[in-house]
Structures are given as C-alpha cells and as structure tokens.
Amino acid sequence: MTPTIFTNARLIDPEKGTDTIGTLAIKDGLIAGPQGLDGATQIDCDGKCLAPGIVDIGVKVSEPGERHKESFRTAGLAAAAGGVTTIVTRPDTLPAIDTPEVLEFVRRRANEAAPVNVLPMAALTRSRDGREMAEIGFLLDAGAVAFTDCDRVIENPKVFSRCMSYAASLGALVVGHPQDPTLSAGAAATSGKFAALRGIPSVSPLAERMGLDRDISIVEMAGGRYHADQVTTIRAITRLRRAKEAGHDVTAGVSIHHLTLNELDVGDYRTFFKVKPPLRSEDDRVASVNAVASGLIDVISSMHTPQDEESKRLPFEEAASGAIGLETLLPASMRLYHARQMDLPTLWRALSLNPAKRFGLTSGRLTAGAPADLVLFDPDAPFVMDRFKLQSKSKNTPFDEARMEGRVLGTWVASHRIDVSPSPNS
Amino acid sequence: MSFRARHLLGIEHLAPAEITTVLDLADSYVELNRRDVKHDTALTGLTQINMFFENSTRTQASFELAGLRLGADVMNMNMQASSVKKGETLVDTALTLNAMHPDLLVVRHPNSGAVNLLAQKVNCAVLNAGDGRHEHPTQALLDALTIRRAKGRLHRLVIAICGDIAHSRVARSNIHLLGKMENRIRLVAPPTLMPSGAAEWGVEVCATMEEGLKDADVVMMLRLQKERMDGGFIPSEREYYHRFGLDAKKLSHAKPDAIVMHPGPMNRGVEIDSTIADDINRSVIQEQVEMGVAVRMAAMNLLARNLRAAREETGVMV
C-alpha cells in the first residue's frame, strides 16, 4: 500500500496539546511522522482539522439479539461517518456477552462486517444478573477489553467486591454505572421543578453520588482498576476528585448528551431525550463540561444506544431509554468548542487519547508509530441534522432537526480510507 | 371569543383569557343544567368517545352527561378490558379509533404525557381527563368555577392545597390555573408527599396545616392516592389524619368564611373529617360535582367550535 501524506492540515494533537498547521505522513497502517515520503499520495487538507480517530467507549451494537436495531455493519458505518475509528462495545445484548463463546461470535461478526476497530467488553457477572462472576479470565484471553454489567448495577456489595478483587488479580478493567439501584428504580427523569411539573417519576441526582461512593469504597477495599461510565452531577464530580486525589485507580466518562443537553430538553415528553442516567439540570451540565475541560472527567463517549421507533413511541415512563450518538458525537462536541468551553486538543484528549490509554490502546495519538486511525473534519461546516440520513438502523437521535456545526470529511482506519456512501447529512 | 386551543391537554399552556372564556360559558350551562329541559344542540351530530385507561366513575359520568346534554353521540370505551390488554400500543389504539372519525376524544391514562402523545396522532379534539401525575384540566376549571361562584372572584385569594400533592394531577392543574389568575397558593403536605422542586413553582410550601391554612379563603383537600404509592410514604392513616386530615380545629385557622373543597372520591377520616365534608356552610364538594358537568360542556363546546372552524378553513377533515 502506498503511503499517504496529509499536507496543509490543521493537526490536533491531544498528547502535545497543540493545534498547528502542518504535514502528517502515514505508511503501512501506522503514523510515520511529519516528514515527506517517497511516492506518497498527497492529500491537501486545505487547512481543515486532522485528528486521531475518536475512541468511543460503551457503544451498544444490538448483535446478538436485536439486529433490527443495529448491526455491526451499520454501527461500523455510523462510526466511520462520525469520525470514530474504534468502538468499545457493550455486553448488554440478548443474550449478554458473558461467555468466551458469545464473545467469539461477536468478534467474528465485528471483523467481517465493521469497517472500524471493534473491541468488545464482556459482562462482569453471568447474564448481568449480579450474582455469579462471569469467566473473567477466559473472557480476557478471548479478547475482552473490560468488564461491565452496563446499567444493571450489582446490588450486592459482596458480589461486586469479589468481582473487583478477582478482576484486579488479572489486571482487568471494570466499568461501573454509578447509581444507587433501588433509589433510581422506576425513575425516568432527574427530580426537580421540571420533572415534578411534568409528573414524571424521578430520582435525586444524589443517587449517582451514592452509587459512586459505594463503588469507590469497594475499589478502596478490593483494589482493581475502575472506570465510571458516566459521571454527570456536581456532587458525583466532587466525589470523583477526592478518589483521584487519594490515588485510587479510578477514571470516569460522561456522555456527549449530558454535556450538550439538559432536563428541559425533554419538553412535552419527547422520548428521544430519555437516556440513562436521565438528563440533568443546567448546573450539572455546566459542571460536567468544566470537569472534562479540567481533565477530571477523562472520557467523552456517545453511549450509542439504538432503539427502534416502537420502543420510543410510548408514554414517557414506558418508553425505552437511550440515544444513538456515533455520528453526532463529533458535531455535538463542536458545540463545546464553538462555545469556547474547550479547545480542540482538550476535546480530543477526552474523545480519543484518554479512552485509548485507559483501554491499553496505542491509538489516540499523532505520534510516529501509532496506528494511522485518523479523522479529517471541518469544525465550522454547518448543517441541519436529518435523522433519516444517519447510517444507524435506529434513528433515535435527540439532535433531529438541530442546527449543528462540524462535518467529517474523511475517516482512516489503519491507513485505509473508509468509504461511507451515501455520505450522511451531505 | 378568546379560546384558541385545539386540544385541552392541560392548563399550563392556556392563557388567562381562555380560562375566563371557559368559565363564562360554563356559568350559562349551570343555569341550563338546573332547568327541566337540559338540552342544547352545540354538539349535535358530533361523536364523542370516552377512553378511560384508568378506572373512573365520576369523571366518566360527568363527561358522558356533558356530551349527552349538548346532543353529541357518546360512546364509552373501557380500555382496561380491551385490546390494550392484548398488547396493542397506545398509538395503535389511537389510530384505530381515529379511523372511526370521532370529533371529541376524552382520554384518561395512568401515564403522565400519554394524552399528549395520543393527541399528536389523531385528527379530532382531545380532552385530557387526567394523565398520570401530570394534569387534569377540567378538574381545575371546575374548581375555579366553584371558587368564583362562592367567592365572587378568582384572584387575590389565599388558597391552601393540602395532602398528597406528589401523586396529584389535580394539584398540578390547580397550581397552574390559580397561579395564572394571580392567587396566593400554599401547598401543605408531609415531605414525602411534597414533590421535590415544589418551592420553585411560585407557591408557598408549608409543613403544617396550621401554617398553611392561616387566613386562607379556600381549603382544597386532596385524596390520599394509595393506588399510586409503591412504598411507605406515611407511617399510618391515623397518624396522617392526626397531622394532615382536615378537622374543625385545623379549619379554624382559615378565614371564618373559608370554603372547603375536595375533588373526590373522599377517604373520610383519612384526609377529611366527615362533619366538615358534610357541613353545608363550609363544604362546596357537591357544588364541585355540579360545576364539573357545566365546565365540561363549556370546554367541549369551545373545542368543537375550533374544530369546525378549522375544518371549514381547510376544507378537509382535520
């Protein structure tokens, strides 16, 4: 394969924290560096941004079980269309990915069908029931990159602490969902003026800190590497800071939806805005944005959760939770950039470098020798989102008809440009 | 005429002038309903379907009577024993009914927002007869009419709403309506039955009946909604009655001419003492029922006018 050289590119380097015009060469699936290469194909970037491809943690691909909602192929195309070069998938499928055999199936399907890197997470307990540990060792050997029961919190602290200490002995990363499960049972919104007026069953934002408190206490007790999938409230952020200052091996993420939307967006019961945890107050949203900017929250992800029309076209309480986000992650993130809440290298630290590091990947960098997983994008190109033009099978985006800025011009995985046609929203 | 709404889904989006329009028209129906011949022809030829996904005797009867007196063809559907049980979704049920060309759809549903969802899918006027804990607009309108007739005005009154506010759509609709008409609203409930965020609704939140009822013009009691409770909200009914039930002693803190209201059905001896409920000098609970029919006649008449006007304007069945 001939090398490629990107010239006149606005290079976004999250590792160095720089945003400069320059040149980048790639060869044999890896980044070669800023120097020119003989016989290289030249791509003139026209001053547009070239950044490491996004590493999206916690993507739900509905295979096996609900392929009508999303398949590896459609999720992979959606990822490529959104500048996401690596997806770390969730095990909350039907059945759950809790044995090496199911994991094997997932890896095979992913390799056949998805044009981007797919790294599967596996369930921490069998059937995600919170009772018996899954075969963490075998699953690790079979390629699981982390262990999580997703939004089903392991209620029994004894079970969770055993899982943590067993995982710790193997160096496995555990991804938790910080939430007090009994307090939040049945809730579809964050408690407060808005939810109470709408009459939606709601949960105090403190349930998140209670969950994080519990999980961090168990990390303290049992050891291990812990990542909180979503920290979205001021009070939980405070707790996260204390845990990091105390030196625990704890990191945290937040979904792009919690950074760009708040509880009022639900309006008159718009179920596309029903996510888990529920959208928060504006104060919590701003605090989350600041925590990402300061590096306290490590990772931004899409928490891509495909749902079909039937499961959303129901009364709010009964409607399914979750929103798709692979293709809207980048343009939605641009809202934070255009609002001057963070610069592009800071944004890419959370979108690409940090998740790669936490999951032991060498991607997320522009350094020579790193995988040539790249996204070329125009941060200023405006468009109006049309959900029916998205690559995902499910169209449950909260950004339908929203005015957005930031268009992906090209996505490369291991030096290969991914062809996504028909190209979305163009 | 200043009533422009296509549906009556809640009080939240009504303008004060629209509320007044409904109440003025309802006043005339009160007179009609007291006559021997109670017929009007405002809804002649129109089809009214009452869809109750949640049990109701009083509200359904009130809507049915209101429709019949205005000349509508009224059909009651007991949705609890219907295809919903066979797994049909709310939207499909709505589309099925819509194909039968109803003109007025009266809907009660146990989920907040369900009536809004249904209204998006049909071509007729939809009246919310109560959705979850969200709104019950005709109840608030009939309460308003009762207050206006008893007090001679619907502004600058001190109104205490007491009891199970957390589970009450009646409270929410009343808070919207009475707030829009510029009254002073106090909410009284044990903290477990007070919604979080209530203090930001532009009301006064009170912890005791004594505090909440002090110099009140209107005392509005709410039913303890045992069927919506999924755990211990209060220690016992007798303790609740002792602290929050309306008896003569607690009522003595209100103005001497304060009226007592209750949306019914009452739990006597739980939220209200029988002697208060039956005291014709204080209790307007029976009047509320009477006003209910009149207000529903007015609301349906106004919605039917808007529906007919829209159909004439567009030339299509909207």
Side-chain angles (χ1 to χ4, degrees), chain A residues 9-289:
Chain A
R10 184 174 158 193
L11 297 170
I12 309 300
D13 188 333
E15 208 172 16
K16 295 201 192 101
T18 54
D19 177 351
T20 49
I21 295 287
T23 300
L24 190 78
I26 58 176
K27 190 187 172 198
D28 299 332
L30 300 175
I31 288 170
Q35 74 286 1
L37 294 170
D38 289 338
T41 315
Q42 190 185 318
I43 296 177
D44 182 355
C45 297
D46 193 26
K48 300 293 187 281
C49 296
L50 187 68
I54 295 170
V55 178
D56 194 4
I57 310 286
V59 172
K60 166 99 179 252
V61 178
S62 310
E63 271 191 75
E66 293 178 300
R67 206 167 149 186
H68 64 287
K69 292 187 177 178
E70 192 83 287
S71 68
F72 278 104
R73 176 168 172 73
T74 54
L77 288 172
V84 176
T85 50
T86 299
I87 58 179
V88 176
T89 59
R90 303 210 303 255
D92 54 346
T93 46
L94 296 171
I97 300 165
D98 61 352
T99 62
E101 290 77 11
V102 184
L103 191 78
E104 197 58 47
F105 164 82
V106 166
R107 290 196 58 182
R108 184 168 51 75
R109 280 287 303 144
N111 282 333
E112 284 167 11
V116 300
N117 305 308
V118 179
L119 301 172
M121 295 192 281
L124 186 56
T125 65
R126 284 175 205 263
S127 308
R128 302 195 296 129
D129 272 349
R131 289 198 297 267
E132 295 169 84
M133 228 184 279
E135 292 171 315
I136 296 174
F138 280 156
L139 284 160
L140 210 52
D141 294 344
V145 293
F147 294 83
T148 180
D149 278 356
C150 303
D151 60 356
R152 277 203 213 154
V153 177
I154 298 176
E155 286 194 34
N156 186 335
K158 208 176 248 181
V159 173
F160 188 55
S161 68
R162 285 177 188 148
C163 290
M164 279 307 298
S165 59
Y166 194 88
S169 72
L170 297 168
L173 179 68
V174 171
V175 177
H177 181 68
Q179 191 68 223
D180 184 274
T182 42
L183 202 58
S184 60
T190 304
S191 62
K193 177 186 176 184
F194 174 76
L197 263 189
R198 284 286 176 276
I200 305 172
S202 59
V203 59
S204 163
L206 269 167
E208 182 173 286
R209 191 186 73 190
M210 289 167 67
L212 190 64
D213 258 335
R214 199 272 315 240
D215 287 4
I216 288 170
S217 303
I218 286 174
V219 171
E220 214 171 314
M221 184 167 76
R225 304 170 60 218
Y226 176 86
H227 176 77
D229 65 348
Q230 299 179 73
V231 169
T232 60
T233 58
I234 295 169
R235 289 180 164 113
I237 289 167
T238 310
R239 183 70 188 92
L240 176 68
R241 179 182 292 119
R242 288 216 311 275
K244 285 191 163 188
E245 283 168 359
H248 298 304
D249 191 352
V250 170
T251 52
V254 63
S255 91
I256 190 62
H257 301 121
H258 289 89
L259 295 176
T260 52
L261 305 169
N262 69 27
E263 57 185 349
L264 301 180
D265 284 302
V266 168
D268 275 333
Y269 307 98
R270 295 156 76 190
T271 57
F272 280 14
F273 292 82
K274 182 177 178 183
V275 293
K276 252 188 190 177
L279 291 174
R280 305 301 192 184
S281 69
E282 179 62 6
D283 287 349
D284 280 333
R285 185 193 73 83
V286 170
S288 302
V289 170

Side-chain angles (χ1 to χ4, degrees), chain B residues 1 3 6 27 32 61 63 66 73 75 79 127-128 142 150 159 179 223 276 308:
Chain B
M1 185 187 76
F3 185 86
R6 186 180 160 202
D27 258 331
L32 177 75
F63 269 108
D73 299 318
M75 186 172 87
M79 303 311 293
L127 281 99
N128 181 1
L142 74 88
I159 298 166
R223 190 168 62 86
I276 303 284
R308 283 180 166 138

Side-chain angles (χ1 to χ4, degrees), chain B:
Chain B
M1 185 187 76
S2 68
F3 185 86
R4 302 184 183 283
R6 186 180 160 202
H7 306 295
L8 183 59
L9 301 177
I11 301 293
E12 187 179 2
H13 300 299
L14 288 186
E18 290 181 299
I19 293 166
T20 307
T21 302
V22 179
L23 299 185
D24 290 349
L25 182 59
D27 258 331
S28 72
Y29 284 129
V30 174
E31 306 314 314
L32 177 75
N33 287 336
R34 288 176 180 175
R35 293 210 292 260
D36 270 357
V37 178
K38 303 175 177 64
H39 280 166
D40 189 347
T41 55
L43 300 185
T44 302
L46 299 185
T47 302
Q48 172 192 341
I49 301 183
N50 297 333
M51 292 169 76
F52 281 66
F53 293 88
E54 196 179 67
N55 266 333
S56 160
T57 312
R58 309 158 59 94
T59 307
Q60 184 169 335
S62 182
F63 269 108
E64 186 176 359
L65 206 51
L68 289 171
R69 286 185 180 165
L70 293 179
D73 299 318
V74 185
M75 186 172 87
N76 287 312
M77 293 187 66
N78 179 4
M79 303 311 293
Q80 289 196 314
S82 77
S83 50
V84 178
K85 285 265 190 278
K86 298 175 193 163
E88 188 175 62
T89 66
L90 178 65
V91 169
D92 284 334
T93 306
L95 293 175
T96 304
L97 276 177
N98 193 48
M100 301 179 195
H101 298 294
D103 304 289
L104 294 157
L105 217 48
V106 179
V107 187
R108 170 169 287 189
H109 197 282
N111 288 335
S112 304
V115 184
N116 296 52
L117 176 67
L118 195 140
Q120 292 164 16
K121 308 289 175 187
V122 295
N123 300 326
C124 60
V126 176
L127 281 99
N128 181 1
D131 63 323
R133 314 171 186 181
H134 177 220
E135 284 232 40
H136 190 354
T138 55
Q139 178 71 43
L141 288 164
L142 74 88
D143 288 341
L145 186 62
T146 309
I147 294 169
R148 197 172 79 167
R149 290 172 69 102
K151 290 284 154 198
R153 66 174 197 272
L154 190 57
H155 58 273
R156 299 186 65 183
L157 295 167
V158 177
I159 298 166
I161 305 177
C162 316
D164 185 359
I165 292 162
H167 298 99
S168 176
R169 52 198 174 211
V170 176
R172 284 169 179 76
S173 286
N174 265 311
I175 290 163
H176 283 305
L177 192 152
L178 298 169
K180 281 177 200 281
M181 305 315 274
E182 301 187 358
N183 294 284
R184 196 168 154 187
I185 303 168
R186 298 195 191 130
L187 304 183
V188 190
T192 46
L193 296 176
M194 184 72 81
S196 57
E200 298 164 59
W201 287 353
V203 298
E204 296 164 54
V205 172
C206 305
T208 65
M209 290 290 276
E210 290 70 23
E211 184 193 344
L213 264 54
K214 189 171 181 337
D215 298 327
D217 297 290
V218 177
V219 181
M220 203 178 267
M221 300 305 298
L222 297 172
R223 190 168 62 86
L224 199 60
Q225 304 219 23
K226 288 174 270 188
E227 72 277 12
R228 286 188 208 282
M229 296 186 180
D230 57 356
F233 284 81
I234 52 166
S236 71
E237 287 183 2
R238 62 179 191 176
E239 181 166 326
Y240 182 79
Y241 178 67
H242 177 70
R243 298 189 59 214
F244 294 94
L246 185 66
D247 55 20
K249 185 159 172 273
K250 296 193 189 90
L251 186 57
S252 69
H253 294 276
K255 283 194 182 145
D257 62 346
I259 55 168
V260 174
M261 306 177 75
H262 193 294
M266 283 182 280
N267 298 309
R268 287 171 185 262
V270 178
E271 68 255 356
I272 190 163
D273 183 83
S274 265
T275 53
I276 303 284
D278 299 333
D279 180 352
I280 53 164
N281 295 316
R282 310 302 294 270
S283 163
V284 293
I285 295 170
Q286 296 308 315
E287 281 85 340
Q288 286 175 273
V289 178
E290 184 188 359
M291 295 309 124
V293 179
V295 149
R296 287 170 183 129
M297 289 167 80
M300 290 200 289
N301 182 352
L302 292 167
L303 288 173
R305 283 188 212 178
N306 290 352
L307 185 74
R308 283 180 166 138
R311 282 175 181 171
E312 258 168 45
E313 198 176 304
T314 58
V316 292
M317 294 282 286
V318 290

Side-chain angles (χ1 to χ4, degrees), chain A residues 366-388:
Chain A
L366 292 183
T367 320
D373 295 349
L374 297 167
V375 54
L376 179 67
F377 66 99
D378 179 349
D380 304 313
F383 66 99
V384 177
M385 172 60 61
D386 174 354
R387 68 189 182 112
F388 295 106

